[in-house]
Amino acid sequence: MKGITMTEPQRLSPLRRILCSYDHAARLAAAMADGGLDVAIVSTLDPLQPWRVVEPVNDAAETRMLECA
């Protein structure tokens, strides 16, 4: 029998499920873009932050894409 971790979706509070949703990340990204920031939404492997809004690094020494959703 597999153990249940605290980060599985059924164990998250209703508010945490909302905060972990793609829709929430999209709303945040839209608000940041409205404020003049260049942002992107990336997928992570962290169940408590499955979507992250980031500002691209324009002067990075190399282009790196680890995972794309």
Side-chain angles (χ1 to χ4, degrees):
M1 186 168 148
K2 285 179 24 175
I4 297 176
T5 64
M6 291 298 291
T7 57
E8 290 181 10
Q10 66 269 25
R11 294 289 186 160
L12 299 177
S13 71
L15 179 56
R16 175 59 70 182
R17 277 194 295 272
I18 291 169
L19 293 174
C20 289
S21 72
Y22 178 83
D23 290 339
H24 179 71
R27 284 190 298 272
L28 179 61
M32 292 172 73
D34 289 345
L37 296 173
D38 182 22
V39 295
I41 301 172
V42 296
S43 175
T44 74
L45 298 176
D46 182 355
L48 291 178
Q49 190 180 28
W51 302 103
R52 184 175 295 171
V53 179
V54 297
E55 291 184 79
V57 178
N58 294 329
D59 57 349
E62 61 185 52
T63 302
R64 194 181 292 188
M65 184 180 297
L66 301 176
E67 184 174 333
C68 185

